Amino acid sequence: MSHPHQAISLDLQNVLARGVTDAPQEEPWHHEIEDQIRRWRKHAKCMTDLHSDAGYYFKTRKLRYGLIPVIVPLIMAPLAPIITTEYGWGMYFNSLVLAVVGLFTGLIMFFSPGEKMQQHFSFSARYADIVSDIDAELIRYRQYRAAADVFTLKIKMMIDNLAFQEPVIPKSIVTGRTGYFGECGAFCCCVSQKKIPTKTATEASSDQLVETYLRRSIATRKSESPSNTDDQKL
């Protein structure tokens, strides 16, 4: 009969051995993971450009509509008393100027292009960080990289977080790009639309002539090759 302490020690050894073998292993790098990460990089690079363009878009709007409430009062401050005393319509003109200044001030306060500009530039920089992180990881050899499952989860969480918080990009910025789902998971990949040049009738006919000439030359070479071998044998 076996001693009870020996049976307990054997059970502990079996449990420890089973725990070591059943422990989750790190997933190695392979082509499918690298392709998926490259698609995420493509999406992050596209969103970097889109948010950068949106930031410059709102920057121009801020300068265009924000300078009017600043410059017009400076010009009208010394001219308003003169216009009011010298001309009968001066009072109405001053009222019109004040209404225009108030209109542009309200537009700036309501649409807040300066705040949107900062948001888009911030998200552009954060997407650019994802691109740089992916480039820094893929440039290494596979044995020196971080764990594939850990790195993919990190990139996915970063992109999901940005996609949940990012501001809306104006429609005029997205013109010329298409968004689609599937390759990048739950978020869109932006691809610039490029027109594929079509061949004209003359180019198509010339291509056909070249193709027929090549086929005829190959056929003649094949037909001449047996006769040449027969002559060499004789």
Side-chain angles (χ1 to χ4, degrees), residues 123-180:
F123 276 88
S124 176
R126 294 168 70 179
Y127 274 112
D129 290 339
I130 295 177
V131 175
S132 62
D133 290 343
I134 293 175
D135 291 338
E137 194 68 28
L138 292 181
I139 200 173
R140 303 176 183 174
Y141 291 104
R142 290 182 176 179
Q143 60 268 25
Y144 300 112
R145 296 175 185 172
D149 50 355
V150 176
F151 186 73
T152 52
L153 180 62
K154 171 188 171 184
I155 297 299
K156 184 180 182 300
M157 291 178 64
M158 291 173 66
I159 294 181
D160 287 342
N161 188 23
L162 292 179
F164 180 74
Q165 298 178 357
E166 64 184 351
V168 179
I169 300 173
K171 188 176 180 180
S172 59
I173 303 299
V174 192
T175 304
R177 298 174 183 265
T178 57
Y180 62 93

Side-chain angles (χ1 to χ4, degrees), residues 21-58:
T21 56
D22 295 342
Q25 301 294 325
E26 294 182 354
E27 185 176 3
W29 287 86
H30 49 81
H31 295 291
E32 288 79 6
I33 293 179
E34 291 178 351
D35 292 340
Q36 180 64 32
I37 290 176
R38 287 190 181 95
R39 285 192 288 267
W40 283 339
R41 183 196 179 279
K42 182 180 179 181
H43 168 76
K45 182 65 173 64
C46 176
M47 297 307 295
T48 300
D49 298 336
L50 284 176
H51 281 291
S52 179
D53 294 342
Y56 284 110
Y57 172 82
F58 285 108

Side-chain angles (χ1 to χ4, degrees), residues 49-233:
D49 298 336
L50 284 176
H51 281 291
S52 179
D53 294 342
Y56 284 110
Y57 172 82
F58 285 108
K59 183 178 181 180
T60 56
R61 294 297 183 274
K62 178 185 176 182
L63 294 175
R64 183 178 301 175
Y65 301 120
L67 289 177
I68 294 176
V70 176
I71 296 175
V72 173
L74 293 176
I75 296 174
M76 290 301 299
L79 297 179
I82 300 173
I83 294 174
T84 305
T85 56
E86 295 293 334
Y87 303 98
W89 46 265
M91 182 175 61
Y92 302 103
F93 182 76
N94 291 334
S95 300
L96 178 62
V97 171
L98 290 175
V100 171
V101 172
L103 174 63
F104 281 96
T105 304
L107 290 175
I108 292 296
M109 294 178 63
F110 182 77
F111 292 104
S112 60
E115 182 180 354
K116 293 179 180 179
M117 174 192 70
Q118 294 177 359
Q119 290 178 356
H120 283 289
F121 281 140
S122 175
F123 276 88
S124 176
R126 294 168 70 179
Y127 274 112
D129 290 339
I130 295 177
V131 175
S132 62
D133 290 343
I134 293 175
D135 291 338
E137 194 68 28
L138 292 181
I139 200 173
R140 303 176 183 174
Y141 291 104
R142 290 182 176 179
Q143 60 268 25
Y144 300 112
R145 296 175 185 172
D149 50 355
V150 176
F151 186 73
T152 52
L153 180 62
K154 171 188 171 184
I155 297 299
K156 184 180 182 300
M157 291 178 64
M158 291 173 66
I159 294 181
D160 287 342
N161 188 23
L162 292 179
F164 180 74
Q165 298 178 357
E166 64 184 351
V168 179
I169 300 173
K171 188 176 180 180
S172 59
I173 303 299
V174 192
T175 304
R177 298 174 183 265
T178 57
Y180 62 93
F181 294 89
E183 291 188 357
C184 287
F187 22 77
C188 68
C189 293
C190 302
V191 181
S192 300
Q193 292 180 346
K194 296 182 179 180
K195 294 183 178 179
I196 301 174
T198 57
K199 294 183 178 181
T200 60
T202 55
E203 292 177 350
S205 61
S206 62
D207 292 341
Q208 291 178 358
L209 290 174
V210 172
E211 186 177 358
T212 53
Y213 175 76
L214 291 175
R215 288 179 179 177
R216 289 178 181 177
S217 61
I218 293 171
T220 52
R221 289 178 182 177
K222 288 182 179 180
S223 61
E224 291 176 355
S225 57
S227 61
N228 293 332
T229 55
D230 293 338
D231 295 337
Q232 290 177 0
K233 289 179 181 179

